[in-house]
Amino acid sequence: MTTRLSLLLFGNLIGTLLTNPFDVCLSKLATQQPERPGAKLKYSGFFNCLSTVYREEGLKKLFLGGVHPRFMFNTFNGIMFLFIYDRFITSLNTATKAQA
């Protein structure tokens, strides 16, 4: 269980860091509003948002902005999944041995 938990944490960290730029841009695109009525939106699309955030806020914002909440959420979900999976496999093995 300890090895799987360690692998879960490592994989979650790598996955969160690699996908964070996409999450940052999608969040900015979904919540953007014009500065005044009738004005153009700041971002015209995903790649425009990606380059604008990189230019204005830097690489750190793309890769580290919001990482902690996503990492914690994914870790909690992963731990719950591992716990439920272990319980299910244990129950399945017990039922199989009882039938044999």
Side-chain angles (χ1 to χ4, degrees):
M1 180 70 173
T2 305
T3 303
R4 284 191 285 175
L5 188 58
S6 300
L7 290 173
L8 171 93
L9 291 173
F10 179 70
N12 183 19
L13 178 65
I14 298 300
T16 302
L17 287 174
L18 289 177
T19 60
N20 200 59
F22 300 104
D23 191 55
V24 168
C25 288
L26 292 175
S27 297
K28 285 183 175 287
L29 283 168
T31 59
Q32 73 176 332
Q33 294 182 359
E35 293 180 13
R36 59 186 186 286
K40 278 181 57 177
L41 295 174
K42 183 173 183 175
Y43 309 112
S44 61
F46 179 78
F47 292 109
N48 174 262
C49 180
L50 196 63
S51 63
T52 304
V53 171
Y54 174 72
R55 195 175 339 103
E56 292 180 357
E57 301 178 43
L59 200 59
K60 186 176 180 182
K61 175 65 175 182
L62 277 176
F63 281 97
L64 299 179
V67 165
H68 184 259
R70 287 185 62 222
F71 178 75
M72 295 306 291
F73 177 76
N74 292 338
T75 299
F76 179 71
N77 284 341
I79 290 171
M80 283 191 339
F81 177 81
L82 279 179
F83 177 76
I84 292 169
Y85 177 77
D86 279 344
R87 290 292 180 145
F88 176 74
I89 293 300
T90 303
S91 299
L92 194 61
N93 288 338
T94 303
T96 304
K97 287 178 184 177
Q99 288 180 353

